[in-house]
Amino acid sequence: GAGVSQSPRYKVAKRGQDVALRCDPISGHVSLFWYQQALGQGPEFLTYFQNEAQLDKSGLPSDRFFAERPEGSVSTLKIQRTQQEDSAVYLCASSPGQGPGEQYFGPGTRLTVT
Amino acid sequence: GENVEQHPSTLSVQEGDSAVIKCTYSDSASNYFPWYKQELGKRPQLIIDIRSNVGEKKDQRIAVTLNKTAKHFSLHITETQPEDSAVYFCAASVEDSSYKLIFGSGTRLLVRP
């Protein structure tokens, strides 16, 4: 079946622009996570949704970052007024239920801020 | 909060040899420990995981061991093959509202043919 998909795969933004990154999780998956992966580093948690509820946004680095999942399926991560330090790969992951278990990752969106 | 340390950062082995990657974690409440393999430019993919009520798990050439008392866990790959070359990440799942994963910094494994 279809895995987690993300779009766009690559995004170049000028400093100060707003960007929106989309995640399509596996159909029926309750949990959805966003991670940020800097070059040569492990993924770092940004935020978590259980269905449409954003239960944890402790990893969002600033109030320029905003995420939503209004209907409990597709999610969008928005970054306002992008800065060079926002350059990274943004990974989305989903899992079938709540609680610990395998997270299925998307291919990521590579964001480059110039 | 949870912190996961991983070493070595790079590991080079001859094809057929074994590879061992080690991780330690800080939060004794963590109860799920997956290992992900990430090839260059690709998504992380789960290769094996272990829960805190188990000490060891094997899947063909891959095994993971967990020592809850010492708060460390290890990945063992036997009979390594060139296609095992990739970056490997350990992670720990925090028992809070999200069960988010806290990742180690990764180990770049190179298997020399």
Side-chain angles (χ1 to χ4, degrees):
Chain A
V4 179
S5 61
Q6 294 185 245
S7 61
R9 290 294 315 279
Y10 304 90
K11 177 68 178 178
V12 179
K14 291 190 190 309
R15 189 162 55 93
Q17 284 185 332
D18 298 349
V19 297
L21 312 180
R22 177 187 169 107
C23 172
D24 284 80
I26 294 172
S27 178
H29 277 198
V30 168
S31 295
L32 186 146
F33 301 81
W34 283 97
Y35 293 87
Q36 180 190 61
Q37 186 174 26
L39 191 64
Q41 300 295 315
E44 291 193 359
F45 171 77
L46 294 177
T47 189
Y48 165 71
F49 291 86
Q50 181 182 309
N51 296 308
E52 69 279 4
Q54 188 175 19
L55 298 186
D56 188 343
K57 50 183 181 179
S58 61
L60 295 177
S62 77
D63 59 8
R64 296 186 295 105
F65 286 70
F66 171 78
E68 60 183 4
R69 193 187 186 198
E71 296 178 359
S73 55
V74 171
S75 178
T76 304
L77 175 68
K78 298 179 179 178
I79 309 173
Q80 296 178 321
R81 305 180 304 282
T82 52
Q83 305 293 315
Q84 283 195 313
E85 60 262 29
D86 299 335
S87 295
V89 175
Y90 290 85
L91 293 165
C92 174
S94 69
S95 63
Q98 308 155 227
E102 179 173 2
Q103 294 183 20
Y104 298 80
F105 282 84
T109 294
R110 181 176 297 279
L111 173 64
T112 303
V113 182
T114 61
Chain B
E2 175 67 284
N3 183 54
V4 176
E5 302 278 345
Q6 180 173 349
H7 62 273
S9 57
T10 60
L11 180 59
S12 180
V13 300
Q14 194 70 37
E15 181 178 359
D17 286 351
S18 295
V20 180
I21 303 170
K22 299 183 179 183
C23 289
T24 59
Y25 61 99
S26 60
D27 189 342
S28 56
S30 292
N31 56 11
Y32 173 69
F33 306 92
W35 286 88
Y36 282 83
K37 175 182 180 182
Q38 188 175 32
E39 298 178 18
L40 191 62
K42 301 289 182 63
R43 71 188 76 197
Q45 293 199 299
L46 182 76
I47 55 171
I48 195 166
D49 56 10
I50 191 168
R51 296 181 186 270
S52 58
N53 58 347
V54 174
E56 182 175 1
K57 183 176 178 181
K58 288 186 72 173
D59 182 3
Q60 300 183 341
R61 298 187 295 109
I62 296 173
V64 57
T65 58
L66 172 65
N67 182 326
K68 285 174 54 180
T69 303
K71 290 189 283 189
H72 67 69
F73 56 114
S74 300
L75 177 72
H76 304 253
I77 305 174
T78 58
E79 301 171 26
T80 53
Q81 301 167 1
E83 51 265 38
D84 294 330
S85 296
V87 179
Y88 291 80
F89 293 98
C90 63
S93 179
V94 180
E95 188 167 337
D96 60 12
S97 59
S98 68
Y99 295 95
K100 56 182 165 281
L101 295 178
I102 306 299
F103 284 85
S105 55
T107 296
R108 183 173 300 278
L109 174 64
L110 173 65
V111 180
R112 307 186 305 274

